[in-house]
Each structure stands twice: as structure tokens, then as C-alpha cells.
Amino acid sequence: MFVSNLPPGMNPLTPEQSQLIEQLMTTLTPIQQAWISGYLAASANGATGAIPATAAAAAPAAAAAPLTVLYGSQTGNAKHVAQDLADNAKNRGLNVNLVDMADYKPKNLKDEKYIAIVVSTQGEGDPPETAEKFYEFITSKKAPKLDGTKIAVLGLGDSSYEFFCQAAIDVEERLVKLGATPVFDKALFDVDYDDHAPDWIDGAVDIFEPGLKADNEGAATNVVPMPGLVPGLATVPPTVSQYTKKNPFTAEVSLIQKITGRDSTKDVRHVEISLEGSDLTYQPGDSLGVYFRNDDTEINAVLTKLKLDGDTEISIGDENKPLREALATDLELTQSYPSFVEKYVAATTNKALAKIAEDKTSLRAYIEDRQIFDILHEHPRKIDAQTLVECLRKIQPRLYSIASSQEEVEDEVHTTVGVVAYEAYDRSHLGGCSGFLGRRVEDGDTVQIYIEQNDNFRLPVNPETPVIMVGPGTGIAPFRAFLQERDAIDAEGKNWLFFGNPHFTQDFLYQVELQDYLKSGLLTNLDVAFSRDQADKIYVQDRLKEKGEQVFAWLEEGAHFYVCGDGDRMAKDVHAALIDIVKTHGGKDLESAEEYISALKDAKRYQRDVY
């Protein structure tokens, strides 16, 4: 029976603990429920963390060697590919241990025999946030010798960035230096990885399978601890939805509202979408995946420029459809990337564009603020419809931090969209998805969406734990969700928000809501930084340092520290400010301060959602 069904007065758990257990139980098979029962019984007898006695008794002395699938994911793509790889191996009867790099214990590396790694790359060739600890360990003097360890590495990236899949390249290179042997060719996939990953997975598991089966003959299948609740974090095992990235839900847009002023240099929209009729659920910290439609006006202009008939039937994968429809819903026409230019040059023998493409630095400078639309307008050439399609890559959904709590809004999901808009090359430009949501979609229209979990950006499970949130610009979105959640569950923990934008009168996002939270006491502190409202620019990192003594005191009390927003500058500046605060108010030198921050990360008390 569920704990919530116990007679009154007999349940020793808090309401929150009861809810967590009940939600967990609904996701478990009977076998998993029995495992949990044995695990808890063993724990109650002092064997915390031990395998249930019944399982241990049945196991032979020799343990089965697992295929450890490690993933480092920034947006969820690497996680999904790793899950597909693990499922493929499990379906062949192999023993598999699927682990997020953020949760992997580096000391276990020395005992691994078979490792498959799926890792994405962000920014200037950096590993994702979740992989930083693993990356630092394998590049440190503490890293063990890996002689005899067999590895296969798959990298995901975006070729529009200079250091394409660099994290995967670096990880394989380092593991090889430690003695590991690659048994399958490393794969580096672009954003269209869905077309190629299944074949690589099949090939990699083909290579691992014989050794795993030979090593595991007569050995016990490892009882791999089921991923559970991360201590101290509000992580509830999700209910698996039928709607996913591969099968999005068609949802109705309830409201689109501009929340920046008329004279603002920014156009930010608050978007509310109905989840009615779906089984989609989410938690504060998750993201909303949105598929979008390219601008029909721009598509018509390109068809005219290239002298193509939009009704011409083309092929994309296994589908046949009119060219106009493919350009609208299937193919990327806003974000530029080098491989498009290279393919277009090869197909059209365009000498001017070929000269630009000869030098990678020149090519990247050329495409930096040009959309695919621009390139086709500037360099129109005779090209047939199918060849144009084959030059383009598939459109990818965009992710937006969810700005609501289901405890508050129920069958809705909210997000905060900053519209990308600029003038260049005698044309107006809009971002692909932000222009779609912010300028073309209207109330009552439908959009295709899915939920992307982010278990590495979660409120603490203890509602009394204080939290510090740093979210300038649209980085405010998840913290609106955090505040709604803590308000709805009557959490008693203190809440401190740092928010910044250019101007108080034009750019104070969710101003009324935040001030109401401040009046009610839900927000203990609200510190703002409006950078252009005075001669000297002031940013959130400056406000942090101004309040450094109190910030450090909160950290010493056990506060969790969160950052959301721009990863190129803001997040780095906030990190530097945090180190400075620990040095100044903790009386530490630089090395000790960095160790302090590292310990916060290890305890999941310092979490970032940056882009």
C-alpha cells in the first residue's frame, strides 16, 4: 500500500516525503518494488547502500562486468542517445550501467572494463556543465591507468561553432593517454545526429558484445542501484509520457504577451501554452522544447530568387512532400553553418562563395550574422529542388526554460522568450523560433512541444533550505517557476533573487509578481541591477559582491546557489564573483575558495542552467 493510505497517525513521514514515495512507486515494476523493499530492509538493519540480502545470497562469487554508458549532456540530446545505446545493449542481454557524468564517482574509473561515452560540446569547445567534474578528473594527476579498458566515444555538437565536438575529442584523447583502447571509431555528429546515431550504436554494441558475453559467462549480473532521488534535491522520478522530442504534443497557445516596455531595446514575450489533453508533466528547472515554422514570406522570396517551384515534390528521409512544406517545417533556414556553404558551393560552383569557403576563419566571419536566407539572397544560383534540400540540415527544436510550476498553473506551461531581431544587409532578421513565437504565433494557434527534463537544476527537497537565484534577462524564467513552487507548497526556506537588465522602466520582467512576492515575504531579498540607468554599468555580479558578506552567510547556512542565463559572459562573471566572495568573507586563499565552490557543486548546491 502507498504510504498516503496508512491510517491517520501511523505515517511517520512528512507530507512531502509521502508524496515523493508515492510518485516513485507509480513508476516501478513489481520487480523494482521488490528490490526497493529489500534494499530498505537491509538499510534498516544497518547495511545502508548494500544489495538486498536475498539478491546477494543468490549471486555467485564472480561479478559480471558491465558496459558502463557515461553521458554528459547540456540540452538532453546526449542523454537520449546514451539511453538508446543502453537500451540496445540491454535488449541483447548485456549488463549495462547507464550513468550521468554528474553522478559518476571518478574513483570507479579504474575498475571499468568496457565504457561507451556520449558527450556534447558547448561554447568554445567546453564540456557540458554535467561533465565538468569527470573532465577535470581524467585530466588530473589523480586519474588512474586504464590499461585493458575498452572504450567507444560519440560526440554531439553544432558545426556552426568553431570547436565542433571538441569535448568528445578531448575525452577520447585523454582516456587513450591513460591506457584505454578505442574499439570502435569515434563519431562526431552534428545537430542532425538522429539520422546517424542508430547505425553507430549498432556498430559499437556489436564490438562490445562478444567480450562482455565471454567475460560474463558464469558470473552474476550486477545489481546496479536504480537511479533514485538525489539527496537534498527535489527530483521526482518522472512519469513517462507518450509525447517526446520524436513525438511532440500539438498544444494550443493560450497567451502571448510582451513584457518589456515600448521603448525597450529588447522584445521579451511571456508565453502560456495549454497542456490540456496531454499527459505531460514537468518540474521547476525543466525546459520546454518547441518546434517552429519558418517564415512563409521569407520562403516565398527564396523560391522566387532561386526560380524554384514550391510545389515540386522532394524527398526527406522516407517522406515525399512539396518543397515549400519542407522549407517551412523540416529544414533549417535561419542558423547558418559552414557545411551548408560548402555543400551549396559544390552544387552550384559559385566562385565568389567558394573563395570565402576556402578559409575557415573567413567563412565563420561571413556566416556569423547571416542567416541561410541571406546567403541564398546574396548568391542565387541555378539549383534543383532536391539538391537544395540535401544542402540543408534538419530543423532542430529550441529549448526554453520553463517559467511556471504545475503546482500553481496545473495544465499549463509558461516560458519567457527573448525575440532575436536585428537589421543587416538591407533586410530585417528574426530568430527562427523566437520570431515564430514572438511575432507570428497568435493566441489560439497551435505549436508542437515536449518537455526536456533537467535533473541537474532542481530545488532542494527540504522546503526549509534557503536558495539564492541569479537570473538576469530571460534567465529569470526558471526562478519564476521556483518561486511559484515554493509559494504553492508553503515552503519556509528563505529566497533571494538577483535580477538584472538594461533599464528599470522598460525591462523589469515580472516586476509586479516579484514585488508581490517581496511584500508577502516569500522573497526574502530582491536585488536588482539595471545596467544602463546610471553612468557606470552595474550588473548582477556587482550586486552579489556588494552583498558578499550576507551571501557567504547564507552559503554557510546551507543555501543552494543557482545561475541561469548567458553562459559566455554573465555566468563566468558570476562564478568569479562567487569565488571572490568566498575568499573575502570566508578568509580563504584562491585555492581554498575554489575547493569550497567545487564542494558546493559536488553537493548539488551550486547549479547552473546556462546557454
Side-chain angles (χ1 to χ4, degrees), residues 50 62 111 155 190 274 309 317 350 396 447 453 461 479 501 569 606:
D111 300 318
D190 209 338
S274 172
D309 183 351
N350 184 314
Q396 294 297 306
V447 294
Q453 278 180 255
V461 70
F479 302 134
N501 240 349
R569 296 187 61 183
Y606 177 20

Side-chain angles (χ1 to χ4, degrees), residues 588-607:
K588 302 178 185 295
D589 59 21
L590 177 59
E591 184 178 355
S592 298
E594 289 177 340
E595 289 175 354
Y596 185 96
I597 300 300
S598 180
L600 291 180
K601 287 185 176 181
D602 289 346
K604 305 283 189 178
R605 289 178 50 207
Y606 177 20
Q607 300 179 50

Side-chain angles (χ1 to χ4, degrees), residues 51 62-66 95-96 219-225:
I51 295 171
N95 185 25
V96 182
T221 299
N222 285 355
V223 181
V224 179

Side-chain angles (χ1 to χ4, degrees), residues 389-401:
V389 167
E390 290 168 2
C391 288
L392 295 165
R393 70 186 184 190
K394 285 186 178 179
I395 204 166
Q396 294 297 306
R398 307 301 198 247
L399 290 177
Y400 294 96
S401 297

Side-chain angles (χ1 to χ4, degrees), residues 310-387:
D311 294 328
T312 302
E313 191 170 87
I314 55 85
S315 299
I316 296 183
D318 298 330
E319 283 190 274
N320 294 325
K321 59 178 61 180
L323 174 62
R324 187 189 310 278
E325 183 183 342
L327 293 175
T329 61
D330 296 275
L331 300 167
E332 181 64 68
L333 290 172
T334 48
Q335 286 186 349
S336 296
Y337 47 96
S339 62
F340 166 73
V341 176
E342 292 161 359
K343 290 178 181 178
Y344 186 68
V345 165
T348 61
T349 60
N350 184 314
K351 292 182 180 179
L353 203 52
K355 187 173 181 60
I356 295 171
E358 284 176 1
D359 180 72
K360 288 188 176 181
T361 302
S362 298
L363 177 55
R364 291 193 179 280
Y366 174 75
I367 67 175
E368 183 176 5
D369 59 352
R370 282 179 171 86
Q371 297 180 333
I372 298 293
F373 287 125
D374 291 311
I375 298 169
L376 295 175
H377 275 289
E378 292 176 10
H379 299 277
R381 289 294 185 274
K382 185 176 181 180
I383 187 171
D384 66 79
Q386 186 62 45
T387 302

Side-chain angles (χ1 to χ4, degrees), residues 20 76 86 91 115 125 149 180 200 235 238 249 280 295 353 373 397 408 418 420 427 456 494 583 605:
L20 290 173
N91 289 339
I115 308 175
T149 302
W200 187 90
T235 304
F249 175 65
L280 289 170
D295 190 338
L353 203 52
F373 287 125
E408 173 74 21
V420 175
R427 299 177 61 247
N456 294 298
K494 297 184 294 184
K583 281 175 57 184
R605 289 178 50 207

